Amino acid sequence: MTMSNLAYDATVDGDTSPQDIAAMQALRPVPRISIQAFCETEGVANPVERAGEDRRMTKAHLKVHMGGVPTAIEFYQSAPTPNLILLESRSEPKQLLEQLAQLSEYCDPSSKVVVIGHYNDVGLYRELIRSGISEYVIAPVSMADIVSVVSSIFVDPEAEPLGRSVAFVGAKGGVGSSTIAHNVAWAMSSLFKSEVVVADLDLAFGTANINFDQDPAQGIAEAVFSPERIDEVYLDRLLTQCAEHLSLLAAPSTLERVYDFDPDAFTQLVDTAQRSVPLLVLDVPHVWTGWAKNTLVKADEIVITATPELANLRNTKNLVDMLKRLRPNDPPPKLIINQAGVPKRPEISPSDFAEPLGLTPMSVIGFDPLLFGNAANNGRMLGEMDAKNPVVATINEIAHVLTGRSEIRAKKKAGLGSLLGKLSRNKK
C-alpha cells in the first residue's frame, strides 16, 4: 500500500452543488483502473456509486460491496486486490489500525487504499499515513469528494494538461450548428492566438472543408478507420492548416462507404487530440447514434444550436433533459438561438423558447442571409467577410464565454430589445 499524504474533510452528499460542479470542471479523466469499495453505510455507498457514473470515471471499473474492512479481509483472501480499495470504517482508531494491518497481509504492494472514517482525529491520520494509506477521508462524503480523491491519486499533476473539448450539435439539421462551430473556432484561434483543432464528425456530409476552403487528401476518416495507428504524430499528419493557429480534421464528405461506428469509435481520437492542443471543437452532426451520444456525454462543454421554432424547442428540450441526466455533475449545455427574425416566419420569442428549458441563451443570432451566404460561397469566415458586423461581435462573445474569459451576462437580455421588437413586428 502506498500513500499520497493528504486528508480530506468531506461534505454531505445529495444533489451536486454548484461549488462541487465548479471544482470538478478542473479534474481530468481518471485512467483505466479497477476500484473496489467496501462501505458500511448507504450514506457512503450512494456517493461512491454516483462517482462511478461520472464521465471523468468512465474508464475506471468500480464495484461497490456492502461491508467494511472485515468484509474486505475475507474477500481478498481468495481474490486479487485492485488498483484502488475504498474502505469505510466506523471502528474506533485502535480497532481500525488493527484491521488495516490484517488487511495488508492480503494486499498487493501496488494497490492503493483510501479510508473513509468517522473520526476526525489527527493522531489517527498520522498513524494511517505511517502505515501506508494513500488518503484518509472524513465522512460524510459527497460524490465530488470521491472523484477528487481518486483523481488526486491516479492523475499525474506534473503531466501536460488535457485540452478542452467543446461539442457543437444542432437541435435539427440545417440550423447552422456547423457554421457557428467553425466560426467560433476561428474566433478562438485569431482572438486568443491559441491552437485550435476543428474535428468534422459528419463524415458523409461534413461542410468544414468547404467553409475553410480546403480540400485535404486525408483527414478524420483515416483516424477513425485505423484507431490502432492514432497517436500525436499520426494525428498531426492528418491535420490541415486553415489559419495561423487553426487546424482541421476534415471529413471526406463522400458516400463511397457507410459510416457505422461503435459507440467508442471517436474516443481515442478525441483523447489524442486533447493531448495535442488546448482547444478541440467537435462538429457533431444531427444524428442519434451510440458514438454521437457518447461524444456529447464525454465533451467538456456542449453547445446546442436551435432556430426559434416548435420542433427545435422539442428537440432541444429532449437533448437538455438527456444531457442533464447523463451528465449530472456538469453544467447544462449552452444554448444558441440562430436565424432569428426570418421575415414573415412565425417564431417563438427567445424568452419563451428558453423558459421551458431552464436555460438563458448564450446568444441570439439574427437572420442575415447575405453575410452567411457570401461567407459560405467564398469559403471564408464571417469575421473575414465583415469584421464589424454585429453577428461577428456575437461570435466573438461566444468564443470568450466558451474559453472561460467571460460569462453569460444577464445584461445581454437588454441587448435583445431591438431583435425582440423586430420579431414582434414580423409577427404582426
Side-chain angles (χ1 to χ4, degrees):
M1 294 188 286
T2 57
M3 53 83 77
S4 297
N5 201 20
L6 181 64
Y8 284 77
D9 187 6
T11 56
V12 181
D13 190 56
D15 290 337
T16 310
S17 69
Q19 293 79 8
D20 282 344
I21 290 176
M24 292 182 68
Q25 289 302 291
L27 298 179
R28 294 171 56 191
V30 172
R32 202 174 302 277
I33 59 172
S34 57
I35 307 171
Q36 291 183 344
F38 294 83
C39 305
E40 294 188 356
T41 65
E42 291 293 334
V44 169
N46 288 338
V48 171
E49 289 178 340
R50 286 183 59 210
E53 298 169 355
D54 184 77
R55 67 177 176 85
R56 281 152 284 253
M57 297 273 284
T58 301
K59 294 181 181 179
H61 180 74
L62 172 64
K63 175 69 174 178
V64 178
H65 308 267
M66 293 310 296
V69 184
T71 302
I73 293 172
E74 181 180 355
F75 185 85
Y76 292 124
Q77 288 180 16
S78 57
T81 53
N83 301 110
L84 174 64
I85 306 172
L86 294 172
L87 300 168
E88 181 191 5
S89 176
R90 291 179 292 182
S91 301
E92 295 183 356
K94 182 179 179 181
Q95 183 182 9
L96 172 58
L97 291 169
E98 292 173 351
Q99 291 174 337
L100 291 174
Q102 186 178 354
L103 175 64
S104 66
E105 298 176 11
Y106 305 101
C107 277
D108 186 282
S110 63
S111 293
K112 299 181 184 296
V113 176
V114 170
V115 175
I116 302 172
H118 292 255
Y119 286 85
N120 191 355
D121 187 319
V122 175
L124 171 62
Y125 166 69
R126 290 173 178 168
E127 196 61 38
L128 289 173
I129 295 303
R130 277 196 292 267
S131 67
I133 298 301
S134 295
E135 309 285 6
Y136 180 60
V137 185
I138 303 168
V141 294
S142 72
M143 175 279 307
D145 295 319
I146 300 299
V147 178
S148 296
V149 73
V150 175
S151 179
S152 72
I153 297 172
F154 289 96
V155 178
D156 182 5
E158 301 300 321
E160 288 293 321
L162 286 176
R164 185 169 181 78
S165 61
V166 184
F168 286 78
V169 66
K172 276 185 65 180
V175 299
S177 174
S178 293
T179 297
I180 291 174
H182 305 159
N183 278 275
V184 170
W186 185 84
M188 289 173 174
S189 69
S190 59
L191 289 173
F192 314 128
K193 309 303 178 186
S194 180
E195 295 299 322
V196 180
V197 165
V198 176
D200 189 346
L201 274 55
D202 190 349
L203 273 70
F205 302 106
T207 58
N209 52 355
I210 295 175
N211 287 347
F212 288 111
D213 193 22
Q214 300 290 332
D215 187 21
Q218 55 186 3
I220 197 167
E222 282 71 21
V224 177
F225 284 109
S226 303
E228 72 283 352
R229 300 180 61 187
I230 298 178
D231 58 20
E232 284 88 342
V233 176
Y234 182 59
L235 180 65
D236 189 62
R237 293 211 307 265
L238 300 178
L239 292 173
T240 300
Q241 195 78 22
C242 298
E244 184 179 359
H245 299 286
L246 181 65
S247 300
L248 170 65
L249 266 175
S253 303
T254 67
L255 304 181
E256 294 177 358
R257 66 170 87 181
V258 294
Y259 304 105
D260 298 328
F261 299 121
D262 294 331
D264 291 321
F266 289 89
T267 299
Q268 188 173 350
L269 171 63
V270 171
D271 290 347
T272 303
Q274 285 189 262
R275 291 195 298 269
S276 306
V277 290
L279 290 166
L280 174 63
V281 172
L282 302 170
D283 182 4
V284 183
H286 179 72
V287 294
W288 198 240
T289 61
W291 66 261
K293 177 182 177 182
N294 199 32
T295 300
L296 291 176
V297 168
K298 292 183 177 180
D300 293 312
E301 189 80 73
I302 300 170
V303 179
I304 300 173
T305 299
T307 56
E309 300 168 290
L310 186 58
N312 276 264
L313 177 56
R314 179 203 63 188
N315 292 354
T316 303
K317 182 72 164 62
N318 289 340
L319 272 172
V320 169
D321 290 346
M322 183 275 298
L323 290 169
K324 285 182 178 179
R325 185 172 67 255
L326 296 179
R327 295 161 53 94
N329 313 314
D330 289 273
K334 301 286 195 301
L335 172 64
I336 295 176
I337 297 178
N338 192 29
Q339 301 173 11
V342 175
K344 299 183 180 180
R345 180 180 70 175
E347 294 182 350
I348 302 173
S349 72
S351 58
D352 288 342
F353 194 99
E355 191 273 332
L357 305 175
L359 298 177
T360 299
M362 178 165 58
S363 295
V364 177
I365 300 177
F367 181 63
D368 192 337
L370 185 63
L371 174 66
F372 282 88
N374 284 335
N377 290 338
N378 287 279
R380 296 289 181 267
M381 296 292 101
L382 301 175
E384 295 176 295
M385 299 301 295
D386 184 0
K388 296 182 179 180
N389 192 288
V391 173
V392 175
T394 299
I395 294 292
N396 292 343
E397 289 178 11
I398 295 172
H400 277 83
V401 171
L402 293 179
T403 55
R405 289 171 168 82
S406 65
E407 298 179 353
I408 301 174
R409 296 182 294 271
K411 72 176 185 179
K412 278 190 174 182
K413 293 182 179 179
L416 298 177
S418 60
L419 175 59
L420 293 177
K422 181 179 179 182
L423 289 176
S424 298
R425 290 193 298 272
N426 287 338
K427 290 180 181 180
K428 291 180 180 178

